[in-house]
Amino acid sequence: MEQILLDRTSREILRELQRDSRQTVQELAAKVSLSSSPCWRRVKELETAGVVRRYTALVAREKVGLDACVLAQVSLQRQTENVATQFEQAMQACPDVIECYSLTGDADYLIKVLVPDVKAYDAFLHRVMFKIKGIGNIRSMVVLREVKYETALPV
């Protein structure tokens, strides 16, 4: 993936958009010391270049009943392209899995699962994970509390 070189103003725009993407172009321009038209053009350039992928709302998971956060290390029986592809497709299709990373080290993948409670996580294991061919081991860790949770990148 091609890295985009960002100047100071573009970095300021990104920090501001990560803080509040609903602000108007006029508000954003004032905060980064630009007039509205050049600021709008820079935002559009960042979007076109793929630096800004999308805009979204951050939802408080506990307020919508997703009290249990589980991190699971998944090891495959065999590391073949077909097994890995099938696993990754299953993770992409599962709404309970909100993050999935391919790893080096003891496990092949780390997934983050949000569910209402531990009983729902057990149901997730039976409904999804135990049906995926090629999984050798799943090591689950229930998150007791989130010490730090940030979505903004340090640009």
Side-chain angles (χ1 to χ4, degrees):
M1 187 175 290
E2 180 184 339
Q3 183 175 344
I4 307 295
L5 294 176
L6 302 172
D7 64 8
R8 184 186 59 79
T9 302
S10 291
R11 289 180 189 279
E12 287 179 27
I13 289 170
L14 289 174
R15 282 191 289 273
E16 277 299 318
L17 286 174
Q18 289 183 103
R19 189 187 61 73
D20 180 7
S21 65
R22 293 186 61 180
Q23 61 188 303
T24 66
V25 172
Q26 292 78 16
E27 292 169 325
L28 178 60
K31 289 176 182 163
V32 299
S33 303
L34 286 177
S35 60
S36 294
S37 292
C39 183
W40 180 84
R41 276 194 298 277
R42 281 188 180 243
V43 170
K44 291 300 167 198
E45 288 170 0
L46 291 167
E47 292 171 352
T48 300
V51 175
V52 175
R53 294 190 321 200
R54 69 177 185 227
Y55 297 91
T56 188
L58 297 178
V59 177
R61 67 179 176 82
E62 295 88 354
K63 298 223 182 233
V64 296
L66 298 172
D67 293 320
C69 176
V70 181
L71 303 176
Q73 294 176 329
V74 180
S75 298
L76 303 178
Q77 290 173 338
R78 292 178 313 282
Q79 295 180 348
T80 65
E81 185 175 348
N82 188 38
V83 171
T85 299
Q86 287 177 356
F87 175 80
E88 290 176 13
Q89 287 173 345
M91 294 302 97
Q92 289 284 348
C94 184
D96 297 328
V97 176
I98 64 161
E99 296 177 35
C100 178
Y101 301 95
S102 176
L103 305 174
T104 62
D106 294 336
D108 297 310
Y109 292 92
L110 176 69
I111 62 172
K112 182 176 182 180
V113 181
L114 296 182
V115 287
D117 52 35
V118 175
K119 187 175 181 176
Y121 180 69
D122 181 55
F124 160 80
L125 289 173
H126 287 273
R127 186 182 75 251
V128 178
M129 300 300 284
F130 295 161
K131 292 183 179 175
I132 300 172
K133 291 183 170 74
I135 292 180
N137 184 37
I138 303 169
R139 182 172 176 235
S140 302
M141 296 159 283
V142 176
V143 173
L144 298 176
R145 65 186 163 94
E146 292 175 351
V147 176
K148 181 177 181 180
Y149 172 74
E150 291 291 331
T151 61
L153 299 180
V155 292

